[in-house]
Amino acid sequence: MGGAEADTTNNRMELTGALALLDALAELPRDPALTIRTDSRYLIDGLGRWLPGWKRKGWRTASGSPVLNRDLWERLDRARLPDVPLSYVKGHSGDPDNERCDSIAVAFARGGRPELLAVGGIDLAPRSLQQLLTRLELAERLAQGGHGLSLLELAQLVEQPAARLEQRRDPWIWRDWLVEPLAQGRWRLRRHGGGLLEQV
């Protein structure tokens, strides 16, 4: 997740980021221990301490001036998830998650576009692992459907040279699947239940 706006402030962007996260979390199953970690005292104090007083005073601060960023505070108040607390992490302190968020924010602020990793909008693993997971999910679907693969399709899936696979005539194991030859040079994957077959 990330983005940028013209003619804005650091505080508005901190609130905007929190709002985008809360909106995304509202649609997802949540671990009971989930906590939002932020280096924004403004966000934590606003939601945790100041908001009830602002609302009582008609969106005025203790000094009587209008609350800045009221539009975002009202939206945050509606989007708040009571079971998801906020916790403070000191900015620029070497915390890997905080440093990653900072690098994303800086890149967008400078007009760049950092690489964002997404699993349903949420970043979990390096690209190489995401690609592997995609291949394994595809293999499972192919196995469940009993689909036949051409030699080229199989080579792409298992990341082996087609010329090497062309030499094979007998069933063999790739990861958790038995790869079986079919007629006309096609192959089928089936969940492997153990055994002593050759493994790639």
Side-chain angles (χ1 to χ4, degrees), residues 48-71:
R49 294 175 39 206
W50 304 332
L51 197 59
W54 289 339
K55 289 162 70 175
R56 269 195 321 272
K57 295 174 185 169
W59 291 97
R60 297 273 173 189
T61 66
S63 65
S65 59
V67 171
L68 296 176
N69 305 311
R70 175 180 171 178
D71 59 325

Side-chain angles (χ1 to χ4, degrees), residues 61-139:
T61 66
S63 65
S65 59
V67 171
L68 296 176
N69 305 311
R70 175 180 171 178
D71 59 325
L72 293 174
W73 285 118
E74 288 180 321
R75 290 174 60 198
L76 280 164
D77 190 33
R78 289 190 299 272
R80 187 192 318 225
L81 301 170
D83 59 327
V84 181
L86 298 175
S87 70
Y88 178 71
V89 57
K90 184 174 172 51
H92 308 289
S93 61
D95 180 271
D97 296 328
N98 184 261
E99 297 295 333
R100 172 70 174 140
C101 288
D102 185 64
S103 68
I104 291 171
V106 168
F108 274 110
R110 292 180 177 163
R113 182 125 183 108
E115 182 176 332
L116 301 176
L117 308 172
V119 176
I122 298 173
D123 185 70
L124 294 177
R127 183 173 301 281
S128 59
L129 287 180
Q130 289 182 21
Q131 290 170 343
L132 174 61
L133 178 60
T134 300
R135 286 173 42 236
L136 297 180
E137 289 171 340
L138 176 60

Side-chain angles (χ1 to χ4, degrees), residues 7-199:
D7 304 318
T8 190
T9 66
N10 185 56
N11 284 345
R12 281 193 69 82
M13 294 312 291
E14 288 175 347
L15 300 185
T16 300
L19 185 58
L21 176 60
L22 288 170
D23 286 345
L25 288 175
E27 304 298 321
L28 297 171
R30 295 190 295 277
D31 187 288
L34 178 66
T35 299
I36 296 174
R37 301 171 69 239
T38 176
D39 62 6
S40 174
R41 287 279 191 202
Y42 181 60
L43 174 66
I44 291 173
D45 290 341
L47 281 179
R49 294 175 39 206
W50 304 332
L51 197 59
W54 289 339
K55 289 162 70 175
R56 269 195 321 272
K57 295 174 185 169
W59 291 97
R60 297 273 173 189
T61 66
S63 65
S65 59
V67 171
L68 296 176
N69 305 311
R70 175 180 171 178
D71 59 325
L72 293 174
W73 285 118
E74 288 180 321
R75 290 174 60 198
L76 280 164
D77 190 33
R78 289 190 299 272
R80 187 192 318 225
L81 301 170
D83 59 327
V84 181
L86 298 175
S87 70
Y88 178 71
V89 57
K90 184 174 172 51
H92 308 289
S93 61
D95 180 271
D97 296 328
N98 184 261
E99 297 295 333
R100 172 70 174 140
C101 288
D102 185 64
S103 68
I104 291 171
V106 168
F108 274 110
R110 292 180 177 163
R113 182 125 183 108
E115 182 176 332
L116 301 176
L117 308 172
V119 176
I122 298 173
D123 185 70
L124 294 177
R127 183 173 301 281
S128 59
L129 287 180
Q130 289 182 21
Q131 290 170 343
L132 174 61
L133 178 60
T134 300
R135 286 173 42 236
L136 297 180
E137 289 171 340
L138 176 60
E140 184 63 22
R141 290 176 63 193
L142 291 168
Q144 286 177 355
H147 303 290
L149 298 171
S150 71
L151 181 67
L152 182 57
E153 291 165 340
L154 179 64
Q156 290 172 336
L157 178 67
V158 302
E159 292 188 325
Q160 296 285 326
R164 178 178 171 193
L165 297 180
E166 204 169 23
Q167 308 300 319
R168 293 184 173 271
R169 299 288 178 257
D170 299 316
W172 48 280
I173 295 172
W174 176 71
R175 295 191 173 269
D176 296 330
W177 292 274
L178 178 65
V179 183
E180 300 175 307
L182 300 173
Q184 298 174 334
R186 296 180 70 76
W187 297 85
R188 178 178 59 206
L189 299 179
R190 192 160 49 88
R191 263 290 179 182
H192 176 56
L196 300 176
L197 293 171
E198 179 184 354
Q199 186 162 4

